[in-house]
Amino acid sequence: MSMKIALALAATVGAGALMSTAAEARPEMVGTHVANYSPGTIVVKTNERRLYLILDDGHAVRYPVGVGKSGKQWAGTTRIDGKYRNPAWSPPAEVKRDKPQLPDVIPGGSPRNPMGVAAMTLAGGEYAIHGTNVPGSVGGFVSYGCIRMLNDDITDLYSRVSVGTTVVVTR
């Protein structure tokens, strides 16, 4: 094997190992084991840290997500009640209590804004499915209950769903 090929192979394997530790933006078309949901439903499997957009009886688009940390997880059925590009963020009372140094509002588009490039708010609470300014957190138990996605993934999902879409969060 030539030295150039060996170096290229080592670089490719090394890059693959580095990238496999963090979630990568790439919605996957998968056969679904998520049964009994209508096409268009979003299903979040908290323990898998995956979000599924149901396409039909046997297929879904799957995305990696960050979910609620211990004590902050929830389960239930809700709906998307708003869609926002580059949303401003105001920390909910619980977050502000834990992190009083946070400003009352972080403007949309700011690199400090934890909502990323888009957010879809969920009815009945202070939760959202949103992008992130910390991509390494996707795939973990990291939030106060929100569903955190890579910015490219939230952009893709945002284009596929509308206000009123059913969202089911399971553990």
Side-chain angles (χ1 to χ4, degrees):
M1 180 181 329
S2 79
M3 182 59 94
K4 285 183 182 179
I5 293 171
L7 287 174
L9 180 60
T12 301
V13 170
L18 287 174
M19 289 188 292
S20 67
T21 59
E24 297 176 31
R26 64 166 195 258
E28 295 179 272
M29 184 75 69
V30 295
T32 183
H33 59 282
V34 182
N36 303 321
Y37 295 107
S38 302
T41 302
I42 293 171
V43 178
V44 178
K45 300 277 224 164
T46 302
N47 286 339
E48 289 181 21
R49 290 168 316 284
R50 296 281 186 264
L51 180 151
Y52 296 85
L53 174 61
I54 306 302
L55 300 177
D56 59 38
D57 282 342
H59 301 92
V61 180
R62 179 174 66 186
Y63 306 86
V65 294
V67 297
K69 54 188 165 184
S70 181
K72 308 296 182 195
Q73 296 173 6
W74 60 278
T77 300
T78 186
R79 294 191 177 277
I80 294 173
D81 71 356
K83 290 176 65 177
Y84 308 92
R85 295 266 186 196
N86 293 311
W89 180 66
S90 295
E94 182 179 16
V95 175
K96 191 73 168 169
R97 191 171 42 254
D98 290 351
K99 300 176 183 180
Q101 73 282 7
L102 285 172
D104 292 336
V105 176
I106 298 177
S110 167
R112 294 179 45 230
N113 186 318
M115 300 297 273
V117 299
M120 297 181 289
T121 54
L122 302 177
E126 294 184 327
Y127 302 121
I129 299 170
H130 62 82
T132 184
N133 63 341
V134 184
S137 67
V138 172
F141 296 97
V142 293
S143 75
Y144 278 75
C146 285
I147 309 304
R148 191 179 295 183
M149 299 180 75
L150 297 168
N151 285 325
D152 287 346
D153 287 348
I154 189 66
T155 299
D156 182 74
L157 181 63
Y158 187 100
S159 72
R160 294 175 185 259
V161 301
S162 59
V163 169
T165 296
T166 298
V167 178
V168 179
V169 178
T170 67
R171 293 198 179 175

